[in-house]
Amino acid sequence: MLILLNRQTILTFNVILVSVIALLQSALPLWYSAILILLLLYRWPLQQSSNTVNKLKRVNIIAALILLLLLVSIKQSGVFHLMLQILLLSAASRLVLVRQRKDSHQLLWVLYFLLACCFIFYQSIMISLLIMTLLLLTLCCHYQLYASKNQRIQLVQIGKALLITMPVWLTLFLLFPRLQPLWQIPTAQAAITGLADTLDPGSIENLVQSDALAFRVVFNTLPPPRQEWYWRAKVYENFDGRSWTVNPRFLRAQLTKQATSSDEAGTKVSYQIIAEVSNQRSLFALSEPLELTSEIRPTAASLIEARRPVSQRLSYRLTSTLNKVPADSADETQLNLRTANANPQTRALARKWAANGSSTPEIIEQISSLFRQQPFYYSLNPPRLGANSVDAFLFDSRTGFCSHYASATAVILREAGIAARVVGGYQGGVWHEDQQYLEVRQREAHAWVEYFDQNRWQRFDPTAVIAPERVLAGLDAVLSADEQNQLQANWRRFSAINFISQQFLHLDYYWSVWVLGFDDSQQRNLWQQLKAASKFIALLGIVVLIALLLTWYRYYTKRPAKLAAPVLLLQRYLQKMLVYKALSQSHSAFILQLSNYNPAQALLLADVDTLYQRALFAEDQYAMQQLKTLLQCNRKQLAGLNWPEPNKQSQAS
Amino acid sequence: MLSQLHQVEQSLNQVILGKQQQIRFALCCLLAEGHLLLEDLPGLGKTTLAHALANSLGLSYRRVQFTSDLLPADLTGINIYDARSQQFHFQPGPVFSQVLLADEINRASPKTQSALLEAMEERQVSTDGETRPLPAPFFVIATQNPLFHAGTSALPESQLDRFLMRLSLGFPERAAEHQLLVDDAKGSRLQFLTQQLDSNTLQKLQQNVANVTVSDGVIDYLLSLVDASRNRNDMLPLSPRASKALLRASKAHALLAGRDFTNADDVQQVFPSVAEHRLDPRSSAASHSLSHIILEQTVCPL
């Protein structure tokens, strides 16, 4: 049957496909998206010329060429992306050629699959809503392709169906086991966000300019005081005189032993972190993490990391003690005593302090007073420093951001013979009292120092000395008005937009906690709660069962009487045709109508009708037997009966 | 016997052109021993139909023009004192006939109307304490004008129920009217009608109607149609009298179609004519909207 697609449907398909291409942008090279769009645009010149066979040939050649290009670039994209690219290619080439309804089968199913694939890349609520809208649009097209022309979408019916499926859907969401992903999302091309493995004097200042969300925290216990909100993410132990880098020991195999659990019980904080996509493994934790969920594992220096780079929003729970971080290996202190052959002035200063025989706390005190007494400034825009960056900062510019202070402090301590390292992470955050969660953005990025004393790594934040408000009230408190403006995007200054975007963020938060964050452990909890309430549930089940039985019984008794034998016989042999019988129409009248449409079988149908009527209305058993034989013998003729399509019928009438 | 009836039908069709359906229903009514209400504008052939029916069936025919001053006694007859024999003699009224055409029944006073309706139902007349049976096939064709109601008393719902069917002849088709005008020159068509049946045969046929088989399925379907009217508030509910009438009409319809069993189509076809004036007494005979609603909304499992 030839049913042409109308312009509107084709346009809708185009819109959906282009949106999918835009959504899957991170899986496609830019040139490929451009080629796909060009291919879609090719539809119009193509439709005006040549016949179907030629068109097919041309599109096939083009698709083959594109496929070749894709295969050549497989190294860049990886197998998973290649699969998506091929799917997109097939959808696009189908859409270029699609003319009639039967062409659109594959297109529809590939579109459904591609839309589902979009969820691999996006989990935020807004994009989810967008994908849902596209899905709805596709469903609409699908429906309209197969529904008869005048049939409108029956909202009440759809509503009822939704109501029925809702409990099933909820149950599946709550109780279906969470399976590990079958493949890993390739992250080779994806841009890394957050703290890098190298800490230059200027890197944190750049990071702070970003308003993007880094992670969110929900405390299960009382939140610790604000001074303790030091979220450790990276530990920088290698120093080359200018910048700090992560020691390769972090890249090696995971730590087998759990970080030595502290004997003395410190304040324990248990919390859940929802980390945004960073495409890195490193995650965030308060000082010493103890109990971890299965998605994450401990690594060196009491840090934690994800099992694979965070390419989707990741939610994990852990408990930390607010103790000092213990040493995790013997050579750790040695590692953190190495000095670079640079910054002679700093070295001289440190040696002088060490020669005085000062203890470690005394040297720390001396560093603090140095920052406090001399004219040091905290600034978002420090001047550029030379090769001996620490010297230039300490004795010349005296203006710097947290990384400068941390870096300088660590160098002084190392030169004085005290093991020290720079820790990168986030400090503080915005606490939302109503929603009870902490929002940590990239602008909260921070660097501080850990030095080894009394067998533990002590935290020392030089920024807290020079700008204590930074720790207590956040970054904005220490910056000048100009610097604040520099941080804020223009639109953020309008309070209404600010408010709306904040509400969206809260919505997004609930979405990630209740929907994305619903994991194995929560599922186990749910099962246990269900178990505890098993008696109640059993009771409820019995009540529901009784209610169902009652409704079924009522339905059963109200149901029309069983159909008579001749009617059943007709139904068996005319099953396909009886679909067209109006409920209020009698079978005889229907057979008459049927014989009008099938003049070749009119005699047979007249015989059937006569026998049927005798069998049914005169309750003639002999006629019943004859009817059975007649129907059986003419089974093939009856199966070949036709009923005109509704549109043809309306034309005829 | 049945073939004679078909001949009657044919000759009636020659007198009233293009109204096969109505003529069949009129015969149906006659066979089912019911009475017929014709609702039409004047001049559409009501009288002709009644007259032709009586003529071709060999029945005695009387026509009464109903007026507001018509008294019950004018209809049923009175006892007249015969001075010679010094006795009262009963002078039978027009109701003592086999086919009675009650023209413009709604013009008469309610008292007169109910006298007729009583006679229709009881098939007997009581005057001065004496009960007299009416002649054996007794068939009333009442007519009323649907448009002009001034000075009329409309038949109440309960009395409309006494009529088995309400029909409307309606305007003839253009071709039929053309034929009518052409033939008019040749003289009245009625005079060509010959008697095809006698009243005895008709009575036998009426008895045959009772012998038509009705399966349980048909009765179930008929009941679900009646039931459908009882669960709604936009129409009057159909009474058991109505369901009896429906069954009798369906059987007569089956007999006219030459079958000895009733099928669902019989019920469906007679339903509008039998039910519409009971569902909504104020509707016009030409509209079958309510009965069609019921027919369309009731599942026919047959």
Side-chain angles (χ1 to χ4, degrees):
Chain A
M1 208 184 325
L2 185 85
I3 293 183
L4 293 182
L5 299 187
N6 57 12
R7 279 179 139 217
Q8 194 195 340
T9 317
I10 292 175
L11 198 67
T12 321
F13 278 140
N14 271 303
V15 168
I16 296 170
L17 193 59
V18 170
S19 319
V20 169
I21 293 173
L23 280 171
L24 293 176
Q25 198 53 58
S26 59
L28 315 172
L30 202 62
W31 59 266
Y32 185 57
S33 317
I35 284 183
L36 283 180
I37 304 282
L38 282 178
L39 184 59
L40 288 181
L41 288 177
Y42 181 51
R43 179 186 171 84
W44 275 269
L46 189 70
Q47 291 298 352
Q48 277 159 14
S49 63
S50 74
N51 60 10
T52 323
V53 180
N54 264 338
K55 282 181 202 168
L56 188 65
K57 216 183 271 173
R58 275 193 227 169
V59 172
N60 274 342
I61 291 172
I62 294 173
L65 285 176
I66 298 176
L67 193 62
L68 213 65
L69 272 176
L70 286 181
L71 287 174
V72 167
S73 64
I74 185 172
K75 272 227 167 124
Q76 283 175 13
S77 48
V79 179
F80 175 74
H81 285 172
L82 182 73
M83 187 196 77
L84 287 180
Q85 286 160 4
I86 290 175
L87 277 175
L88 276 172
L89 176 63
S90 60
S93 10
R94 202 2 126 202
L95 186 49
V96 167
L97 282 175
V98 77
R99 256 187 87 237
Q100 57 184 41
R101 186 170 79 179
K102 76 172 203 269
D103 296 341
S104 61
H105 285 246
Q106 304 99 319
L107 180 62
L108 277 165
W109 294 110
V110 170
L111 274 181
Y112 286 134
F113 190 80
L114 281 171
L115 282 171
C117 284
C118 289
F119 283 114
I120 296 174
F121 296 94
Y122 301 97
Q123 291 88 38
S124 74
I125 188 165
M126 294 314 285
I127 305 272
S128 299
L129 283 178
L130 178 68
I131 297 172
M132 279 313 203
T133 315
L134 290 174
L135 190 65
L136 223 67
L137 213 58
T138 320
L139 274 172
C140 245
C141 282
H142 203 160
Y143 176 82
Q144 256 151 17
L145 278 181
Y146 288 91
S148 63
K149 274 204 184 100
N150 302 325
Q151 207 164 355
R152 296 191 55 225
I153 293 179
Q154 292 174 327
L155 290 176
V156 180
Q157 288 288 333
I158 293 176
K160 274 186 199 164
L162 273 181
L163 264 184
I164 292 169
T165 46
M166 201 65 97
V168 180
W169 173 76
L170 263 179
T171 318
L172 280 179
F173 173 76
L174 291 175
L175 302 180
F176 195 77
R178 296 292 188 273
L179 302 173
Q180 290 295 317
L182 295 176
W183 57 72
Q184 189 186 338
I185 312 303
T187 49
Q189 287 178 318
I192 286 173
T193 56
L195 288 164
D197 281 353
T198 307
L199 185 74
D200 291 327
S203 57
I204 290 209
E205 291 95 291
N206 289 332
L207 192 54
V208 159
Q209 313 262 352
S210 158
D211 204 32
L213 195 64
F215 57 94
R216 288 187 264 226
V217 189
V218 191
F219 291 105
N220 298 334
T221 51
L222 265 183
R226 198 184 167 93
Q227 300 90 289
E228 292 293 336
W229 292 351
Y230 281 90
W231 307 98
R232 300 168 86 241
K234 295 238 156 123
V235 167
Y236 302 97
E237 291 176 321
N238 289 5
F239 183 61
D240 65 354
R242 179 181 158 77
S243 50
W244 292 81
T245 44
V246 170
N247 190 281
R249 71 188 173 116
F250 286 95
L251 306 177
R252 282 199 294 271
Q254 73 167 111
L255 210 61
T256 43
K257 73 177 173 77
Q258 172 84 36
T260 47
S261 54
S262 51
D263 307 326
E264 69 266 47
T267 322
K268 280 194 180 175
V269 184
S270 135
Y271 51 98
Q272 180 189 3
I273 289 186
I274 303 132
E276 295 295 306
V277 175
S278 65
N279 294 314
Q280 304 194 61
R281 278 172 188 257
S282 62
L283 290 175
F284 324 98
L286 288 177
S287 43
E288 191 193 352
L290 291 178
E291 296 153 26
L292 313 175
T293 43
S294 58
E295 301 90 345
I296 52 176
R297 59 186 181 200
T299 176
S302 291
L303 291 178
I304 52 169
E305 64 172 21
R307 292 185 186 274
R308 43 176 72 92
V310 184
S311 56
Q312 296 181 339
R313 198 176 268 185
L314 176 74
S315 161
Y316 57 94
R317 296 155 186 284
L318 69 168
T319 306
S320 287
T321 51
L322 295 181
N323 287 331
K324 309 290 178 244
V325 178
D328 70 357
S329 63
D331 55 351
E332 198 181 25
T333 43
Q334 292 306 314
L335 213 57
N336 286 308
L337 276 170
R338 294 170 302 157
T339 55
N341 192 14
N343 303 314
Q345 280 179 288
T346 315
R347 177 174 297 171
L349 180 70
R351 293 269 161 83
K352 194 179 86 190
W353 284 345
N356 289 346
S358 313
S359 65
T360 310
E362 279 168 355
I363 290 184
I364 293 290
E365 186 45 46
Q366 273 169 323
I367 294 173
S368 301
S369 55
L370 173 75
F371 288 149
R372 217 177 289 132
Q373 284 156 11
Q374 301 206 17
F376 276 92
Y377 299 101
Y378 191 71
S379 167
L380 192 59
N381 301 312
R384 290 185 60 82
L385 304 171
N388 293 326
S389 61
V390 178
D391 274 1
F393 167 65
L394 276 182
F395 302 104
D396 188 19
S397 71
R398 289 184 179 153
T399 304
F401 205 56
C402 53
S403 52
H404 297 86
Y405 288 96
S407 168
T409 311
V411 170
I412 295 174
L413 287 172
R414 280 193 181 186
E415 295 288 359
I418 302 164
R421 60 192 183 190
V422 174
V423 182
Y426 297 83
Q427 194 279 319
V430 181
W431 175 253
H432 293 288
E433 183 63 39
D434 290 340
Q435 288 77 19
Q436 289 290 313
Y437 76 92
L438 181 72
E439 176 189 285
V440 182
R441 296 165 176 280
Q442 297 295 0
R443 57 185 306 184
E444 261 88 37
H446 192 50
W448 61 92
V449 174
E450 278 177 355
Y451 62 94
F452 196 70
D453 188 31
Q454 296 163 2
N455 252 345
R456 286 195 168 259
W457 290 98
Q458 312 281 341
R459 186 177 68 220
F460 172 60
D461 187 0
T463 312
V465 177
I466 183 79
E469 305 87 350
R470 164 76 173 85
V471 177
L472 291 173
L475 184 60
D476 284 344
V478 278
L479 295 181
S480 65
D482 279 352
E483 284 173 329
Q484 281 181 26
N485 281 344
Q486 182 189 342
L487 281 186
Q488 279 182 341
N490 279 335
W491 57 270
R492 273 214 151 241
R493 289 178 212 160
F494 298 102
S495 58
I497 298 176
N498 214 343
F499 175 78
I500 292 170
S501 75
Q502 194 59 52
Q503 294 312 311
F504 272 128
L505 276 176
H506 290 325
L507 201 67
D508 195 50
Y509 159 71
Y510 288 122
W511 168 258
S512 45
V513 169
W514 294 109
V515 180
L516 298 179
F518 189 83
D519 56 6
D520 291 349
S521 62
Q522 274 171 307
Q523 213 168 35
R524 267 196 301 279
N525 282 344
L526 187 74
W527 273 116
Q528 270 158 8
Q529 280 170 5
L530 283 182
K531 229 165 150 187
S534 56
K535 269 182 198 163
F536 176 72
I537 289 172
L539 198 72
L540 198 75
I542 288 170
V543 169
V544 169
L545 200 69
I546 289 173
L548 278 179
L549 276 176
L550 274 178
T551 32
W552 180 75
Y553 176 73
R554 277 190 59 188
Y555 170 76
Y556 188 79
T557 47
K558 269 193 166 183
R559 213 172 52 150
K562 230 183 116 198
L563 293 172
V567 180
L568 289 176
L569 207 60
L570 272 196
Q571 284 191 343
R572 195 160 85 211
Y573 287 98
L574 288 174
Q575 205 173 20
K576 258 197 331 198
M577 287 293 114
L578 282 175
V579 179
Y580 300 105
K581 183 180 95 78
L583 280 176
S584 60
Q585 199 177 18
S586 71
H587 284 84
S588 301
F590 175 73
I591 290 174
L592 188 68
Q593 207 178 345
L594 197 58
S595 62
N596 285 341
Y597 292 136
N598 298 278
Q601 306 295 338
L603 283 176
L604 170 66
L605 287 170
D607 283 351
V608 168
D609 185 34
T610 315
L611 286 174
Y612 167 75
Q613 290 207 17
R614 279 219 71 76
L616 179 65
F617 298 114
E619 284 158 358
D620 184 342
Q621 287 305 313
Y622 179 61
M624 177 73 191
Q625 285 303 323
Q626 278 184 308
L627 177 65
K628 205 179 272 183
T629 347
L630 183 69
L631 288 173
Q632 233 160 25
C633 294
N634 296 290
R635 205 178 319 149
K636 273 189 188 152
Q637 284 93 315
L638 292 172
L641 289 173
N642 287 317
W643 189 267
E645 276 295 303
N647 48 0
K648 279 186 201 164
Q649 192 189 344
S650 64
Q651 276 168 14
S653 66
Chain B
M1 228 162 27
L2 198 67
S3 61
Q4 288 171 315
L5 196 61
H6 283 149
Q7 277 172 10
V8 171
E9 199 181 348
Q10 257 177 14
S11 50
L12 284 175
N13 276 324
Q14 278 165 8
V15 175
I16 298 158
L17 298 171
K19 297 290 167 197
Q20 287 90 343
Q21 176 85 8
Q22 282 87 341
I23 285 168
R24 174 158 283 215
F25 281 161
L27 280 174
C28 219
C29 223
L30 185 64
L31 285 182
E33 297 175 63
H35 304 287
L36 180 63
L37 179 64
L38 281 177
E39 205 177 83
D40 261 318
L41 293 171
L44 288 175
K46 293 174 296 222
T47 320
T48 316
L49 175 64
H51 208 151
L53 256 177
N55 271 7
S56 56
L57 294 171
L59 302 174
S60 64
Y61 167 72
R62 295 288 291 274
R63 173 185 172 166
V64 182
Q65 185 69 40
F66 276 40
T67 52
S68 54
D69 55 356
L70 189 76
L71 294 175
D74 295 338
L75 210 56
T76 57
I78 42 168
N79 282 319
I80 296 174
Y81 182 70
D82 186 351
R84 249 182 297 170
S85 62
Q86 301 193 332
Q87 272 179 336
F88 280 98
H89 279 287
F90 181 68
Q91 189 65 42
V95 82
F96 287 88
S97 63
Q98 288 173 311
V99 173
L100 173 70
L101 175 63
D103 223 349
E104 306 212 49
I105 189 173
N106 55 343
R107 291 203 164 275
S109 63
K111 198 174 175 182
T112 315
Q113 284 178 1
S114 50
L116 174 67
L117 292 164
E118 191 201 339
M120 280 161 58
E121 188 68 17
E122 310 291 332
R123 289 170 195 275
Q124 62 189 21
V125 170
S126 307
T127 38
D128 299 337
E130 208 171 326
T131 304
R132 293 179 177 84
L134 294 176
F138 176 61
F139 183 45
V140 174
I141 302 180
T143 71
Q144 58 179 1
N145 187 330
L147 278 191
F148 307 108
H149 294 296
T152 64
S153 356
L155 288 174
E157 289 85 344
S158 58
Q159 302 195 339
L160 272 174
D161 207 15
R162 310 279 167 93
F163 289 97
L164 181 72
M165 284 190 186
R166 184 179 65 170
L167 292 177
S168 161
L169 287 175
F171 291 103
E173 304 257 314
R174 196 186 172 90
E177 198 167 355
H178 184 268
Q179 188 66 35
L180 188 81
L181 294 179
V182 169
D183 289 358
D184 215 27
K186 299 176 191 164
S188 167
R189 308 176 130 263
L190 270 175
Q191 68 194 38
F192 300 116
L193 271 181
T194 49
Q195 182 183 342
Q196 316 262 5
L197 214 66
D198 55 38
S199 63
N200 281 339
T201 326
L202 183 64
Q203 271 177 300
K204 271 182 198 152
L205 278 168
Q206 284 178 339
Q207 281 160 17
N208 278 357
V209 168
N211 296 334
V212 169
T213 314
V214 182
S215 70
D216 276 353
V218 172
I219 291 186
D220 275 341
Y221 176 56
L222 191 150
L223 285 180
S224 51
L225 285 174
V226 174
D227 247 3
S229 76
R230 293 176 188 170
N231 297 326
R232 301 178 62 115
N233 45 17
D234 56 348
M235 51 181 77
L236 292 178
L238 290 174
S239 63
R241 197 208 314 250
S243 46
K244 272 169 77 182
L246 186 55
L247 183 60
R248 258 192 303 147
S250 310
K251 281 169 146 186
H253 193 263
L255 189 74
L256 270 172
R259 274 183 273 111
D260 58 351
F261 57 86
T262 316
N263 66 18
D265 292 326
D266 288 330
V267 181
Q268 289 189 350
Q269 282 184 23
V270 300
F271 186 74
S273 301
V274 174
E276 191 67 27
H277 63 289
R278 301 171 210 258
L279 293 171
D280 183 7
R282 301 277 157 264
S283 67
S284 81
S287 98
H288 290 148
S289 55
L290 289 177
S291 36
H292 278 136
I293 289 176
I294 290 185
L295 279 177
E296 271 158 30
Q297 294 188 350
T298 310
V299 177
C300 176
L302 300 170

